[in-house]
Amino acid sequence: METKQTDCNKLKAPIRCIVKLGGAAITCKNDFEKINEDNLVTVSSQLREAMMMSGSSTSAPVLDMDWSKRPGSKVVDADPKEQQQAVDYNNFIVIHGAGSFGHFQASKSGVHKGGLTKPLVKAGFVATRISVTSLNLEIVRALAREGIPSVAMSPFSCGWSTRDRNIASADVSTVVQALDSGFVPVLHGDVVLDESLGCTILSGDVIISHLAAHLKPQFVVFLTDVFGVYDRPPSEPNAVLLREIAVREDGSWSVVNPTFQGTDKQVEISVASHDTTGGMVTKISEAAMIAKLGIDVYIVKAATEHSQTALSGKLIDKIPEDWLGTVIRYVS
Amino acid sequence: METKQTDCNKLKAPIRCIVKLGGAAITCKNDFEKINEDNLVTVSSQLREAMMMSGSSTSAPVLDMDWSKRPGSKVVDADPKEQQQAVDYNNFIVIHGAGSFGHFQASKSGVHKGGLTKPLVKAGFVATRISVTSLNLEIVRALAREGIPSVAMSPFSCGWSTRDRNIASADVSTVVQALDSGFVPVLHGDVVLDESLGCTILSGDVIISHLAAHLKPQFVVFLTDVFGVYDRPPSEPNAVLLREIAVREDGSWSVVNPTFQGTDKQVEISVASHDTTGGMVTKISEAAMIAKLGIDVYIVKAATEHSQTALSGKLIDKIPEDWLGTVIRYVS
């Protein structure tokens, strides 16, 4: 895969974490274009805490950075003051999925299959972007209200494009500049131009893999709506949470915790059996590619004590017994 | 001025028009973050008509491209259908100002003066972007509802930056790709990173000059809230509308219609006397720089029959007697 790219060494400070806000965690999945406000507030607050450099006072008042009207309000609530304490943040990048935004527009038009000359596909491209950028704006605002200096970076606007659904051009220099200036870039799954198909969908997970490969964060966190990766659909009664997955040099992976006596193979088949696009095997495979770079990947339920632990980076040293989630980690 | 740029010859088809939606025309200037909905609907409708290729049926049903919820509504109004008539559009670029969006946030923080290390400036950067991108989203949606395949392109996200307030990097290739794929890019005045100051404001007018210089549209239209450029504030009783301004090779300009017998000099002084940042002399000077390239500039009141005429491109051939507005044009 040939891509235009910027040397990651250009970054003034290393990236601590790339975090994915899963669509299922921050939106109400069965409610058209509805944000899960409670989760989003908690996630934003946890992110703020995780981003703060050790030594920064957690008791400093939060500087609300959203000075725009709220729906139903006529005025701005924020009262920006001259005197503010500077807070230093670790470098974080946020990427979010679409959840109940964008899905209707994309499936109605088939924009993922390309064909921009068709009026419906072109309209769907516009409509899908409107939906996902609406969500992006709300997430940027939620983070800003928690004092996180978030800036929207829409992949299509950044000039990112694909060829046969693989990333063809995804210059990360704009993301690097934003990070170096002290901002937290907020990207999202988007519709983009595709050199061979005309257009397609660039998923948030593919964006994360790309950014992780080029910017080498210390760890990656996927915030989702279940406790992690299970051996079968988590709604099934005997579903077992896979706590640790080991990734080998060749990219293959296996579950190392819990240990299934001599039934490793069965577990993997069982996972595959309920996989659909974007399902668990896809997720593990994408995560394994990141882990292969020596970057820990944590898949964890959003807005819980477990997500807070994962975002803090403490899992790098030790995974507590009572921590619920899935660690995907390289073993040499 | 050294800038990264793309050869305009890469464009598949020439650009017909770059149009500026003035902040005063599309927002309620004294009402915080309030859009002038009536004007925006009319402007969008006029744009659609102007963009349609001659030969396209103006009676074809409009394909609503905004399939997202409206405030207060729980469902999408649009009913995207499989069978749609393709409409071919001339290449247009839309740029809008901020009006009652962004101004409060920018002035409260002094983000235009730079200094990103100050917490208030950094917060103002985030807050200003939230405000102007909120407006951008609403304008994209208004255009999409009129069937215009509009796509948001926020200058900061596009990686545009300045050095001492002048454009340092403003790669237009993403804009070109969007145009070539049949979309209408919608840009806006934005806060951007500045190599020497840290950050500053990149105005919509500067963006237009840059795009006009690199992409050579046939004409440029400024939609504003008055009939055009006057010899003094238009609220004054004897204000005279300057109907035609001639720009010479050296960039100097003079009013050629109406003719003031031997008092040309006085008119220019009178204009200067009420000028403030972004005032009339600045506006004429910016427009003169575009006209010098052989590109007609029309300054006209938004949502009037006169704006419709200007957007149609008919003024290139002949300026009707009853047309109200200001033409700024190169004379060799």
Side-chain angles (χ1 to χ4, degrees), chain B residues 117-140:
Chain B
T117 50
K118 292 181 206 151
L120 188 69
V121 174
K122 183 183 275 189
F125 189 100
V126 171
T128 306
R129 289 212 81 234
I130 286 172
S131 187
V132 294
T133 55
S134 301
L135 175 61
N136 182 250
L137 176 61
E138 289 309 314
I139 289 173
V140 166

Side-chain angles (χ1 to χ4, degrees), chain B residues 32-48:
Chain B
F32 179 57
E33 294 188 343
K34 189 166 161 50
I35 288 170
N36 186 329
E37 296 283 356
D38 290 348
N39 263 13
L40 184 55
V41 167
T42 308
V43 163
S44 301
S45 167
Q46 288 190 355
L47 275 170
R48 172 185 157 81

Side-chain angles (χ1 to χ4, degrees), chain B residues 62-76:
Chain B
V62 172
L63 173 54
D64 183 345
M65 297 187 181
D66 176 10
W67 308 343
S68 284
K69 277 198 304 197
R70 302 302 308 154
S73 164
K74 287 213 158 215
V75 290
V76 62

Side-chain angles (χ1 to χ4, degrees), chain B residues 131-169:
Chain B
S131 187
V132 294
T133 55
S134 301
L135 175 61
N136 182 250
L137 176 61
E138 289 309 314
I139 289 173
V140 166
R141 294 187 69 169
L143 295 171
R145 285 198 292 278
E146 277 295 322
I148 296 169
S150 52
V151 286
M153 299 211 133
S154 204
F156 170 79
S157 308
C158 291
W160 291 24
S161 63
T162 54
R163 190 187 307 120
D164 275 327
R165 297 203 172 89
N166 295 311
I167 286 180
S169 171

Side-chain angles (χ1 to χ4, degrees), chain B residues 38-322:
Chain B
D38 290 348
N39 263 13
L40 184 55
V41 167
T42 308
V43 163
S44 301
S45 167
Q46 288 190 355
L47 275 170
R48 172 185 157 81
E49 203 164 302
M51 282 176 195
M52 285 172 76
M53 293 277 200
S54 56
S56 292
S57 167
T58 49
S59 61
V62 172
L63 173 54
D64 183 345
M65 297 187 181
D66 176 10
W67 308 343
S68 284
K69 277 198 304 197
R70 302 302 308 154
S73 164
K74 287 213 158 215
V75 290
V76 62
D77 292 329
D79 180 23
K81 293 267 183 13
E82 281 298 334
Q83 298 304 324
Q84 289 288 346
Q85 200 177 332
V87 179
D88 285 325
Y89 287 108
N90 291 298
N91 273 342
F92 267 62
I93 299 177
V94 173
I95 290 143
H96 63 82
S100 60
F101 288 73
H103 181 77
F104 161 76
Q105 291 87 351
S107 64
K108 194 85 185 177
S109 59
V111 72
H112 55 288
K113 291 181 286 188
L116 268 181
T117 50
K118 292 181 206 151
L120 188 69
V121 174
K122 183 183 275 189
F125 189 100
V126 171
T128 306
R129 289 212 81 234
I130 286 172
S131 187
V132 294
T133 55
S134 301
L135 175 61
N136 182 250
L137 176 61
E138 289 309 314
I139 289 173
V140 166
R141 294 187 69 169
L143 295 171
R145 285 198 292 278
E146 277 295 322
I148 296 169
S150 52
V151 286
M153 299 211 133
S154 204
F156 170 79
S157 308
C158 291
W160 291 24
S161 63
T162 54
R163 190 187 307 120
D164 275 327
R165 297 203 172 89
N166 295 311
I167 286 180
S169 171
D171 183 357
V172 298
S173 62
T174 307
V175 174
V176 168
Q177 278 160 20
L179 286 165
D180 280 348
S181 300
F183 294 107
V184 176
V186 184
L187 293 84
H188 60 89
D190 202 1
V191 279
V192 294
L193 301 179
D194 185 286
E195 286 172 26
S196 45
L197 303 168
C199 62
T200 194
I201 289 173
L202 178 62
S203 79
D205 289 353
V206 172
I207 294 169
I208 291 187
S209 296
H210 181 78
L211 291 177
H214 290 294
L215 300 177
K216 304 278 170 23
Q218 288 180 277
F219 57 96
V220 169
V221 178
F222 286 86
L223 299 177
T224 178
D225 62 339
V226 289
F227 281 105
V229 180
Y230 289 78
D231 67 337
R232 70 202 75 182
S235 54
E236 288 186 16
N238 296 320
V240 175
L241 179 65
L242 309 180
R243 289 167 174 269
E244 197 170 344
I245 292 170
V247 179
R248 289 174 291 270
E249 183 73 44
D250 63 359
S252 67
W253 52 269
S254 55
V255 180
V256 294
N257 180 12
T259 47
F260 302 84
Q261 291 139 332
T263 57
D264 254 45
K265 198 67 193 164
Q266 274 190 328
V267 171
E268 292 193 31
I269 290 166
S270 165
V271 173
S273 67
H274 70 271
D275 190 52
T276 53
T277 312
M280 276 307 155
V281 164
T282 311
K283 199 161 213 66
I284 295 175
S285 301
E286 289 266 4
M289 273 167 43
I290 298 170
K292 228 183 74 169
L293 304 166
I295 300 163
D296 270 13
V297 177
Y298 313 124
I299 302 177
V300 62
K301 186 165 183 170
T304 61
E305 57 183 298
H306 310 291
S307 59
Q308 190 152 30
T309 304
L311 290 167
S312 75
K314 286 177 194 158
L315 298 175
I316 293 177
D317 301 321
K318 186 178 169 14
I319 302 165
E321 277 297 312
D322 60 353

